[in-house]
Amino acid sequence: MSSFNALNIIPDNDSDSDVDNTKEIQIEEALKLYQNALKLHAQGPAHLAEAQDAYLALFRSEIFQYPESLSDTRHLELYGHLPDYDNENVVESGTITTSGGARGAESAPSTLPQILYLSYKNHGQFALDCLKFYISSGSEQIPREQVNSSAKMALRCFSEALLRDDSDTELWRRVSRISGVLESRRLVRYCLEAVLDSEGDMAGSSLAGLGIEEGYAGDELKKLLRVMSDDVSLHQPLIFRMGQKQLSPLLKKRMDPYLYLPQPSDRARSSTLIQNPLGLPPTRRSIDMVTPSWAALGRSILDIIVAEQQGYINYGTPYGATGAGSGILISLPGGEGQSDEEMATEDTMEGPETQLLGEIAAADSRVRRDSKGDVAPETAVMSDGDVQMGDVIAAGAEGREHEDISKAKGGSEASDMASRKRKSSPESIQGPLDGGRGRSKRIRARESNASAAVTAEVSAMERANLFEEKLQVFVDADEYLFECLGNLLDKLGVTGLGTLQDLKLAITDEDVYATVDGGEGKKQRREHDTVIQDLRKILTRWDDDKGNVILYGDGIDDPGGRTQTGPTGGSRNAGLMAFLEHAKTGGRKVASRPLLSGDQDLDKFARRINKQWLHMNEVAFQWLECLLIKEQPAGGKSQSSPTSAGLLGEGDMASYSRHLWPDGLKEAVVQTIVILDGFLYQKIGFEIANRTLDPKLENGGRPYTRADLAYTEMAQTIFELHLDIYTSITNPSSEVDLATRISQRDRVSRWCMTASDLISMRYPNELGVDDHLTLRYLWSCALYASISEDVSREHVIACFEDLKTQLQSAGHPVIDLPNNALMPEVSAAQAEREISRLKTTDFFLNIFQSQTSNPAEVIEILEPVLDPRTVRQDPDDQRMLDEAEVGKLASRIRNTLTEDEVLSIPEEWENLPPGDLLRALQGLSMRQGNTADTQLRLGEVIGYLTEKLGKDPSGSPLTATVMDQIREMSAFLERGNASLRLFLLQRLREAYDAIDYPPKVFSCYLKSVEIIMKEFKTSTYLESSSEHRQFTLLKWLRTLEDLLLRALSLSLNDPKAFDCMDQGHLASSMSALAELSRLLHSFALYEDAVNVGQLPPFEPFDFAFVQSFTAVANKLQEMQVRAWTLQYTLFREGIAQNQDLFTEPAPVLIEFLRAVHHAIGIRMLCKMSNKVFLRFMKQELLRLNHIEGWEQDMAQVLFDLHGIKLGSGTYELHNHGCQSEPLDRITALQIIDFVLLLVRRINVKDLAKTEYKPIIDKLHQVIGIPKQTVTMIHNSRIFDAFIKSSVNPLDLYNSLRGEGELSRVVVNGESAILAEKGWYFLHGHIALSKWRSAKRVTPAPPEDVNIAIMSFKFDLHNGVNDWETWYRLAQCYDSLLEEEVLWSADTLNNNKDSINLLQRHAIHSYAMATATALRSAVPSPETVLKISDMFTDFGTRMYASSRPPFAMEAFWLDNFKRLFSGAQGMYEKHAHSELTEYKAWKFASVLFKKALAAKPDFWINHYMLGKCLGKIYNSPEQREVTVQEVIDCYIRAIETVPERKDRQDPIFEPHYKLISVVHKLVRGGKIEPSEGSTILEATPYARKIPPAQELDTWEPYILQILNKLRIADKANWHHRMIDRAAHIHYDDSSTDLTAAMAARHLFSQQIFTKTMTWQVWKPEYERAGRHFVYTSRYTYFFLRLLEQLKDRVSMEALVKRLRKKPSDFWQHQEVWKYACHTYLKLLRRNGQVPEAHDDTVFKSVTLDEFQALAQRLESWCLMPSTSHPTLDLVRDAVELKKLNGGLWKNTIIDDLAIDAYAKLYETIVPEIQAKNSGEQLQQQQQQQQQQQHQEQQQERRDPMSLKNLMMTVESTSDMSNPLPPLQVSQPGFEDIATALLHQPKPRTRVGRRDILRRAENLVMKPAVQATHQPRVPTSHLTTTAAAPTMSPALAPTSAPRDGLSGPALLHVASDIPGKGAETTGGSSVAGSVHDSADDESELSDEEVDEVYGPRVNELSESGTGLGEGVTTGDES
């Protein structure tokens, strides 16, 4: 069904256009008709008539004409093959809803098979329901015939339904019941078995699986088998078991579907035998004609005769039984051909089903006729011998003899027909046959276009106007084409193209003669337009046979005489065969006879046959009488027996001479006279022998009647046909065996004698002498004599001379026999041709039977015959040269030829006449085995001698006798057809091809085209029938296709192809091509009309026709493209030969190409023939690229070929429907010049945004990277050495004078050519512009810059010394440098070498670009502006390299020392002096001044010049720069700043710089404030502010201006105004806190936020990397302010962020050092910690005491509630050390940590000692004593235990307790004691490391942290009881175990009663360096562990006396 698509949705493809929903709509309409018929059917007898009409309408619908709607049998009859069930449109009928009678209306079918099934089924039920109504009405007795008729109707419909669904068992039972009514037990049995065999295996079925219907069917089948006495079937298992069970009678009665129908009789057979005691009644055997044509009837008759002769059938008695014979009944489609009695019987049939049967039969007939078309499917017989009569004999009763005859000639008509059927079958084309979707996309597109454009409501005039509008684009292109090319070709004398109006008139006029009055104009119109009309008829009346002719060559002989459908190797002598065929038929025309219609009077013949009881041989004889006998008057033969003699004749002409027979009909006639030869001979002899033809006989004599004359004519015709057959099977190409030839020769002799007897028996004065018949007889006898072996040629010539004389005396009658290939015409002219043929036979036989393989001999023979113009008779040919000429000639020969070649010339060659010598040399040059050098030398000598003689070397002067023979043979060929001439040209072409002489080969191709185009103007073609002309046209079109292809290939690929083309040959060939182009263009006009809907498209019934039509259309389009291309090549050669006519040939050639391209492009034909025209046009345009306006044509060609849109913005490119093909390297190299030409017109900045960018990238990808050669590598080394060298100030200054160049070598090759054209430069420039124009907000890999550098290097390595290449290369290095320093300062801080290298690269490139530009740049406005930009960039680079962050490092010479030798020996020294800052600034100022010369209004030049002059002015070396010069530069920069546009930030740089410089000058006293105010009026930001007259008002004045600048900077990109304002506030009052706070306030507004995040960005016009310098400066200043304001918190946050962001600062390490130093000073000052305070505190403290007290202090500090300012200071210092991470030396940080810890120790330890009373010390002593007691006891038990030993070592290491005495009573303790006594003496003084270690331990966090406690900035000791904690007195302490140097993690465990678990708390140290204002932590816990390792604190057991109950262990 139709689908609907949203209008606002554009589909991805046009697949919807491919769907044809016509079929779905037709099914819907049929469904409505079905439902209407079913509804009326269900309403009962009252609506039977309406139901009948409804069913008729249903069966008339289109769905019943679909191929898939037909049954397999019907499909096979119509199409010759079974349908393709794999097709997706053929739906299986497995799930079809069944409905019987009036039921089933509620379940409507939805598919085509369902509708077909239900329609047939319900219609069959309708027929029975009608019968039931008649029976039930009881009005009268229903005759049995009526019952049978209704039953037959129902049976037919039910059968059709079962074909769609054979699984309906109920329907099988109904058919069985109806078959019983018709007394057909066979059908009854078949249907009943089908019910039982529903599963496919009746033999294996069981009774258990059978239902009631199967049981009833089995019971009925069993009864039937008993009646038929089929005991074998009764004993089948299933049937036998059914007898055991019986159905009830009541059930049996209900199972009968049609109780009202009569029951079948069990005694039908015996009653039939009784009624017919003589046996079976006589019957007729029907010949069912599917295609009503004489040819089909003849084939059917032949098939029956052959089958009967071979014993397969017996038409004498049916089935071989005894009884009456059988007659023949010819059944034509639609009931035609029935006898009068049958028609009368049918007329008496009544009932509704009768009308329906007729309607269905008529529909079937319409389907068959539509499938075959209106035109005859057979192809007309060719008159020139292409189709031979003897080739179409089929096998018959005479066996193998006729089989051999049918094989005669490889391309026989029989094989032709078979091959045609084979090729036209859908299996060979693989096309669908679904009727609705089988048509091609183009056909459906035409339909949609036509239907969408033209509606039914518009008038005819509106439709015509609409079509004209659609066709206007084609009309314009064609008018330009014909006008342009017509004018150009007319100059060369070329005719044949005509005008567009004439061509349209030829197409539209059906009669090409009607509109021309004059005789000559009528003739020209007829010659030019007939072939065009024939082509139009071919297209509008297409069938598959026509397609087979042009596609496969069916029925066509090639110029060599080989049938193209037959095997190419089957001919023994193709050339001889072609000549003989031409000799027989050459020059003879086919009479303009109409083609015999397929069914003309066929119904009359069928009725006459059906009225008689005839044997098949008699039917065949009467069939021949219709064709071979002229019209007979009524009563001419016998009134008693009707005959068909002369049925197709008219007047004195039989169909044999009146009509042109189709191929199939001629084939049938020939086979019939061969197969029934004996019968025909007896029949004609019997008809005439019974008559007494001699009037002298007195008894039984009778006069010579017209019937006798008719049989005489029939015998003569059969003789002529047999003669034609014999010549066919005896030609040189025939492969028929000898026995067959002898048999056919006997037939010819027999019929010759018969015809002779009959002709001689006629009376001259009775009924008039049939002169034509006599002349035919004499002519056939002459031909018979010519083929006889024992007759001389002179006798045959004499016969034809006599015939010629008789014909002339008889008034020159012309007898046309169009159906005889041997003698199609009998006339005096034809007799003359025959005589000429016989006379020239020897010459041509010598040509074709010659076995020579020497091409020179072939050329010598054929060249004069085919082109007599080359033959000249030279009277002075034998003249001798004078002595001087002979001497020169001899010297030339000896000097040119080798000794062996001279010896091969005839002896005494010096004495030969020059003509003979020339021919001898020509023969030598054609000798096989010559080498290329030999051919070249011989050609040089021949050319020299030819020049001396003044003749064409190919010309061979001949005698007059030979010239006469040549003229006669040429005339013979001219009178003949084109086939022989084409073959001779082919032989000549092959000979020239053998000697490799392409010019003559090309000439032969063109002459062949001329011959064919002339053939269309001959009377042979023009006077033949339309069908014959169409076949001939198709044949020659196929030949022309091959000729065009080969000729075009030579013209395009061989530069010497036109060497032999003179002006006459050129003009004739171009005229022939113009005529061919005109013919082919008529097809283009037809296609245009069809595409726009003006003409209906081709819509065949068979899809195979569509495919063949499409293939032929493609061939014609390809030929059209090739013809125009070949015409152009000839036109180009014509211009070269006629230069006086074309003074400027290039524009003319481009105009020719443009006109053709536009005409074929709009028709989407450019893609045809492998885009040969486009490829050739591309080459021509590249050759003619100096012509104005060629770019658009080139752009269109490239767009068609490769899809490249070049110039789409400039030129209008059209879509010509060409599929883009990949761009190859050769094409890419060819179009580079064109691409560069277009690209250079576009600004390179915009190039990346256009469609050119992907095209250039594709070209670069295809061309690839150039291969490095030795010279390129050498240049690369020179370049690398130069670009990496140091910067020599002298080279810089020399560049300003244009001096400086690299010494490189010249590079040759492809890459050098590309570089010279600028290809690599273009690619690099595009990549560079793309990078520079991109707005990036994040870092990006500089791939484009690298590509640009590589491309520019390719340019330089290939020797190109262009200043712009150096300039763009310098920009590339500048871009890389900018990218390195734009986003991060890491490279500036860590990799300065790469930065300096890039700077030197850029400076060297700028210097070389400057020198080259000043030396060799072409002066032009564009170049001057580019050089100005180069000076600006160069100056900016020099100034930037001199200023931070680069700071002149690129000019340092530290790594550029060289070795020198002098008086003192070898020494190392710099090669040149170093560039200073002053020199760099001065050099940059010179560059900016040069830039201002070309761009005086470019503000950056003024701005940068002011900066350079300002630096020079402040330099101590300056002497010439004044203040006014500096100020003027900035003022001029402000004046030239471009105006601000919408949404564009203003440019502040010159304004700020002027304000800054003036402020410095005023502050420095260089100018007065009033003068400064006057100067600042140049900036608009100072104009509304009151000027400052005094120094006191200066600062407020400046601050107001800076404030306005800040307000104007809405995007906050600029930061220097803030810095300047802050310095104005602070510089004069640096010690004032108010000034510091003001400066801090300004910085905090934008640069530094509250969280100490800096916001310093790079403005648009600030140099890259400069903002990192400003960030460092601002940080220095801001740290100074924070120190002055004592803002420790802000400074801490700033320091933290500073350490985390090293990439934001230039010289980050120095900034970090300053920040740390300032921060430490601030911490020491805030904490009031004196320097070296540790010496004061720990000077008198021992190490043991310090360890003990430090442990207590640490325990106290790590308590969660502990808070102390000094403790925070210690922690800040330690964390700063961690944050530093070794970036700066830690000594100063360690000093602060140690001093702060000393102060904390000094403050807290006394308080702790005071709280620990003596009781605590006593407890510790008791505990220690107990422990010692236990240890002593343990030692006594086991003195050698490991624990005892370790405890001993630990106790000795504890300096607070004396060593216990050694126990040496046991063995082994002496060594241990000795080792312990010799240990080094322990330290007693507290060291800085011990203090630092203890200080670092204070930073650690407790193991279990409580909630975070913010820092409380208090100056005294405070504790916070946020949670239950231990008192400081009870806090556990621990000392480093075994002198551990790292900090330990404290684990506190409490044994307080009631506290079963550890209760610990902790918090991060509040306010530490790691806590930013955003509560960020610098180091995580994991990072702390990574730095310090696992921290395990153990409670010491050394007896420190800190209490009991403390557990020890390792916890993480």
mmCIF file with all atom_site columns, all heavy atoms in Angstrom, residues 1763-1766 1768 1911-1918:
data_model
loop_
_atom_site.group_PDB
_atom_site.id
_atom_site.type_symbol
_atom_site.label_atom_id
_atom_site.label_alt_id
_atom_site.label_comp_id
_atom_site.label_asym_id
_atom_site.label_entity_id
_atom_site.label_seq_id
_atom_site.pdbx_PDB_ins_code
_atom_site.Cartn_x
_atom_site.Cartn_y
_atom_site.Cartn_z
_atom_site.occupancy
_atom_site.B_iso_or_equiv
_atom_site.pdbx_formal_charge
_atom_site.auth_seq_id
_atom_site.auth_comp_id
_atom_site.auth_asym_id
_atom_site.auth_atom_id
_atom_site.pdbx_PDB_model_num
ATOM 1   N N   . SER A 1 1763 ? 47.513 23.533 72.137 1.00 0.00 ? 1763 SER A N   1
ATOM 2   C CA  . SER A 1 1763 ? 47.615 24.610 71.166 1.00 0.00 ? 1763 SER A CA  1
ATOM 3   C C   . SER A 1 1763 ? 48.555 25.659 71.727 1.00 0.00 ? 1763 SER A C   1
ATOM 4   O O   . SER A 1 1763 ? 48.403 26.107 72.866 1.00 0.00 ? 1763 SER A O   1
ATOM 5   C CB  . SER A 1 1763 ? 46.239 25.218 70.875 1.00 0.00 ? 1763 SER A CB  1
ATOM 6   O OG  . SER A 1 1763 ? 46.366 26.300 69.996 1.00 0.00 ? 1763 SER A OG  1
ATOM 7   N N   . HIS A 1 1764 ? 49.532 26.071 70.840 1.00 0.00 ? 1764 HIS A N   1
ATOM 8   C CA  . HIS A 1 1764 ? 50.514 27.057 71.290 1.00 0.00 ? 1764 HIS A CA  1
ATOM 9   C C   . HIS A 1 1764 ? 51.077 27.745 70.062 1.00 0.00 ? 1764 HIS A C   1
ATOM 10  O O   . HIS A 1 1764 ? 51.370 27.094 69.056 1.00 0.00 ? 1764 HIS A O   1
ATOM 11  C CB  . HIS A 1 1764 ? 51.643 26.366 72.092 1.00 0.00 ? 1764 HIS A CB  1
ATOM 12  C CG  . HIS A 1 1764 ? 52.453 27.325 72.911 1.00 0.00 ? 1764 HIS A CG  1
ATOM 13  N ND1 . HIS A 1 1764 ? 53.506 28.033 72.381 1.00 0.00 ? 1764 HIS A ND1 1
ATOM 14  C CD2 . HIS A 1 1764 ? 52.346 27.726 74.220 1.00 0.00 ? 1764 HIS A CD2 1
ATOM 15  C CE1 . HIS A 1 1764 ? 54.045 28.804 73.314 1.00 0.00 ? 1764 HIS A CE1 1
ATOM 16  N NE2 . HIS A 1 1764 ? 53.347 28.634 74.450 1.00 0.00 ? 1764 HIS A NE2 1
ATOM 17  N N   . PRO A 1 1765 ? 51.234 29.085 70.099 1.00 0.00 ? 1765 PRO A N   1
ATOM 18  C CA  . PRO A 1 1765 ? 51.757 29.798 68.919 1.00 0.00 ? 1765 PRO A CA  1
ATOM 19  C C   . PRO A 1 1765 ? 53.139 29.322 68.506 1.00 0.00 ? 1765 PRO A C   1
ATOM 20  O O   . PRO A 1 1765 ? 53.423 29.200 67.319 1.00 0.00 ? 1765 PRO A O   1
ATOM 21  C CB  . PRO A 1 1765 ? 51.778 31.255 69.363 1.00 0.00 ? 1765 PRO A CB  1
ATOM 22  C CG  . PRO A 1 1765 ? 50.791 31.342 70.477 1.00 0.00 ? 1765 PRO A CG  1
ATOM 23  C CD  . PRO A 1 1765 ? 50.845 30.028 71.189 1.00 0.00 ? 1765 PRO A CD  1
ATOM 24  N N   . THR A 1 1766 ? 53.994 29.086 69.485 1.00 0.00 ? 1766 THR A N   1
ATOM 25  C CA  . THR A 1 1766 ? 55.337 28.647 69.129 1.00 0.00 ? 1766 THR A CA  1
ATOM 26  C C   . THR A 1 1766 ? 55.303 27.262 68.491 1.00 0.00 ? 1766 THR A C   1
ATOM 27  O O   . THR A 1 1766 ? 56.082 26.946 67.593 1.00 0.00 ? 1766 THR A O   1
ATOM 28  C CB  . THR A 1 1766 ? 56.234 28.638 70.371 1.00 0.00 ? 1766 THR A CB  1
ATOM 29  O OG1 . THR A 1 1766 ? 56.141 29.916 71.018 1.00 0.00 ? 1766 THR A OG1 1
ATOM 30  C CG2 . THR A 1 1766 ? 57.678 28.378 69.998 1.00 0.00 ? 1766 THR A CG2 1
ATOM 31  N N   . ASP A 1 1768 ? 52.846 26.175 66.700 1.00 0.00 ? 1768 ASP A N   1
ATOM 32  C CA  . ASP A 1 1768 ? 52.429 26.411 65.306 1.00 0.00 ? 1768 ASP A CA  1
ATOM 33  C C   . ASP A 1 1768 ? 53.589 26.912 64.467 1.00 0.00 ? 1768 ASP A C   1
ATOM 34  O O   . ASP A 1 1768 ? 53.721 26.557 63.295 1.00 0.00 ? 1768 ASP A O   1
ATOM 35  C CB  . ASP A 1 1768 ? 51.291 27.428 65.287 1.00 0.00 ? 1768 ASP A CB  1
ATOM 36  C CG  . ASP A 1 1768 ? 50.043 26.884 65.965 1.00 0.00 ? 1768 ASP A CG  1
ATOM 37  O OD1 . ASP A 1 1768 ? 49.931 25.645 66.063 1.00 0.00 ? 1768 ASP A OD1 1
ATOM 38  O OD2 . ASP A 1 1768 ? 49.176 27.683 66.361 1.00 0.00 ? 1768 ASP A OD2 1
ATOM 39  N N   . ARG A 1 1911 ? 42.813 26.436 64.209 1.00 0.00 ? 1911 ARG A N   1
ATOM 40  C CA  . ARG A 1 1911 ? 43.889 27.020 64.979 1.00 0.00 ? 1911 ARG A CA  1
ATOM 41  C C   . ARG A 1 1911 ? 43.372 28.211 65.782 1.00 0.00 ? 1911 ARG A C   1
ATOM 42  O O   . ARG A 1 1911 ? 42.613 29.009 65.297 1.00 0.00 ? 1911 ARG A O   1
ATOM 43  C CB  . ARG A 1 1911 ? 44.999 27.468 64.046 1.00 0.00 ? 1911 ARG A CB  1
ATOM 44  C CG  . ARG A 1 1911 ? 46.167 28.027 64.817 1.00 0.00 ? 1911 ARG A CG  1
ATOM 45  C CD  . ARG A 1 1911 ? 47.112 28.808 63.944 1.00 0.00 ? 1911 ARG A CD  1
ATOM 46  N NE  . ARG A 1 1911 ? 47.102 28.405 62.588 1.00 0.00 ? 1911 ARG A NE  1
ATOM 47  C CZ  . ARG A 1 1911 ? 48.190 28.270 61.868 1.00 0.00 ? 1911 ARG A CZ  1
ATOM 48  N NH1 . ARG A 1 1911 ? 49.359 28.435 62.416 1.00 0.00 ? 1911 ARG A NH1 1
ATOM 49  N NH2 . ARG A 1 1911 ? 48.109 27.957 60.605 1.00 0.00 ? 1911 ARG A NH2 1
ATOM 50  N N   . VAL A 1 1912 ? 43.830 28.249 67.013 1.00 0.00 ? 1912 VAL A N   1
ATOM 51  C CA  . VAL A 1 1912 ? 43.482 29.399 67.877 1.00 0.00 ? 1912 VAL A CA  1
ATOM 52  C C   . VAL A 1 1912 ? 44.748 30.220 68.067 1.00 0.00 ? 1912 VAL A C   1
ATOM 53  O O   . VAL A 1 1912 ? 45.713 29.774 68.705 1.00 0.00 ? 1912 VAL A O   1
ATOM 54  C CB  . VAL A 1 1912 ? 42.932 28.955 69.236 1.00 0.00 ? 1912 VAL A CB  1
ATOM 55  C CG1 . VAL A 1 1912 ? 42.579 30.163 70.070 1.00 0.00 ? 1912 VAL A CG1 1
ATOM 56  C CG2 . VAL A 1 1912 ? 41.727 28.057 69.037 1.00 0.00 ? 1912 VAL A CG2 1
ATOM 57  N N   . PRO A 1 1913 ? 44.843 31.345 67.472 1.00 0.00 ? 1913 PRO A N   1
ATOM 58  C CA  . PRO A 1 1913 ? 46.075 32.127 67.565 1.00 0.00 ? 1913 PRO A CA  1
ATOM 59  C C   . PRO A 1 1913 ? 46.271 32.746 68.951 1.00 0.00 ? 1913 PRO A C   1
ATOM 60  O O   . PRO A 1 1913 ? 45.897 33.900 69.213 1.00 0.00 ? 1913 PRO A O   1
ATOM 61  C CB  . PRO A 1 1913 ? 45.868 33.176 66.483 1.00 0.00 ? 1913 PRO A CB  1
ATOM 62  C CG  . PRO A 1 1913 ? 44.399 33.356 66.365 1.00 0.00 ? 1913 PRO A CG  1
ATOM 63  C CD  . PRO A 1 1913 ? 43.803 32.044 66.673 1.00 0.00 ? 1913 PRO A CD  1
ATOM 64  N N   . THR A 1 1914 ? 46.779 31.989 69.849 1.00 0.00 ? 1914 THR A N   1
ATOM 65  C CA  . THR A 1 1914 ? 47.058 32.477 71.216 1.00 0.00 ? 1914 THR A CA  1
ATOM 66  C C   . THR A 1 1914 ? 48.548 32.488 71.452 1.00 0.00 ? 1914 THR A C   1
ATOM 67  O O   . THR A 1 1914 ? 49.302 31.765 70.833 1.00 0.00 ? 1914 THR A O   1
ATOM 68  C CB  . THR A 1 1914 ? 46.390 31.565 72.253 1.00 0.00 ? 1914 THR A CB  1
ATOM 69  O OG1 . THR A 1 1914 ? 46.873 30.231 72.049 1.00 0.00 ? 1914 THR A OG1 1
ATOM 70  C CG2 . THR A 1 1914 ? 44.874 31.555 72.060 1.00 0.00 ? 1914 THR A CG2 1
ATOM 71  N N   . SER A 1 1915 ? 48.950 33.285 72.390 1.00 0.00 ? 1915 SER A N   1
ATOM 72  C CA  . SER A 1 1915 ? 50.368 33.439 72.683 1.00 0.00 ? 1915 SER A CA  1
ATOM 73  C C   . SER A 1 1915 ? 50.803 32.710 73.941 1.00 0.00 ? 1915 SER A C   1
ATOM 74  O O   . SER A 1 1915 ? 51.960 32.703 74.285 1.00 0.00 ? 1915 SER A O   1
ATOM 75  C CB  . SER A 1 1915 ? 50.712 34.942 72.835 1.00 0.00 ? 1915 SER A CB  1
ATOM 76  O OG  . SER A 1 1915 ? 49.925 35.517 73.866 1.00 0.00 ? 1915 SER A OG  1
ATOM 77  N N   . HIS A 1 1916 ? 49.867 32.075 74.593 1.00 0.00 ? 1916 HIS A N   1
ATOM 78  C CA  . HIS A 1 1916 ? 50.228 31.332 75.817 1.00 0.00 ? 1916 HIS A CA  1
ATOM 79  C C   . HIS A 1 1916 ? 49.726 29.917 75.692 1.00 0.00 ? 1916 HIS A C   1
ATOM 80  O O   . HIS A 1 1916 ? 48.982 29.587 74.775 1.00 0.00 ? 1916 HIS A O   1
ATOM 81  C CB  . HIS A 1 1916 ? 49.627 32.014 77.057 1.00 0.00 ? 1916 HIS A CB  1
ATOM 82  C CG  . HIS A 1 1916 ? 48.118 32.210 76.963 1.00 0.00 ? 1916 HIS A CG  1
ATOM 83  N ND1 . HIS A 1 1916 ? 47.220 31.232 77.253 1.00 0.00 ? 1916 HIS A ND1 1
ATOM 84  C CD2 . HIS A 1 1916 ? 47.397 33.289 76.560 1.00 0.00 ? 1916 HIS A CD2 1
ATOM 85  C CE1 . HIS A 1 1916 ? 45.986 31.664 77.052 1.00 0.00 ? 1916 HIS A CE1 1
ATOM 86  N NE2 . HIS A 1 1916 ? 46.059 32.938 76.643 1.00 0.00 ? 1916 HIS A NE2 1
ATOM 87  N N   . LEU A 1 1917 ? 50.094 29.108 76.635 1.00 0.00 ? 1917 LEU A N   1
ATOM 88  C CA  . LEU A 1 1917 ? 49.726 27.691 76.613 1.00 0.00 ? 1917 LEU A CA  1
ATOM 89  C C   . LEU A 1 1917 ? 48.270 27.519 76.958 1.00 0.00 ? 1917 LEU A C   1
ATOM 90  O O   . LEU A 1 1917 ? 47.824 27.973 78.004 1.00 0.00 ? 1917 LEU A O   1
ATOM 91  C CB  . LEU A 1 1917 ? 50.612 26.911 77.587 1.00 0.00 ? 1917 LEU A CB  1
ATOM 92  C CG  . LEU A 1 1917 ? 50.345 25.430 77.701 1.00 0.00 ? 1917 LEU A CG  1
ATOM 93  C CD1 . LEU A 1 1917 ? 50.623 24.751 76.381 1.00 0.00 ? 1917 LEU A CD1 1
ATOM 94  C CD2 . LEU A 1 1917 ? 51.169 24.859 78.823 1.00 0.00 ? 1917 LEU A CD2 1
ATOM 95  N N   . THR A 1 1918 ? 47.519 26.874 76.042 1.00 0.00 ? 1918 THR A N   1
ATOM 96  C CA  . THR A 1 1918 ? 46.094 26.605 76.286 1.00 0.00 ? 1918 THR A CA  1
ATOM 97  C C   . THR A 1 1918 ? 45.811 25.175 75.922 1.00 0.00 ? 1918 THR A C   1
ATOM 98  O O   . THR A 1 1918 ? 46.449 24.587 75.062 1.00 0.00 ? 1918 THR A O   1
ATOM 99  C CB  . THR A 1 1918 ? 45.188 27.523 75.452 1.00 0.00 ? 1918 THR A CB  1
ATOM 100 O OG1 . THR A 1 1918 ? 45.472 27.339 74.084 1.00 0.00 ? 1918 THR A OG1 1
ATOM 101 C CG2 . THR A 1 1918 ? 45.403 28.994 75.825 1.00 0.00 ? 1918 THR A CG2 1
#
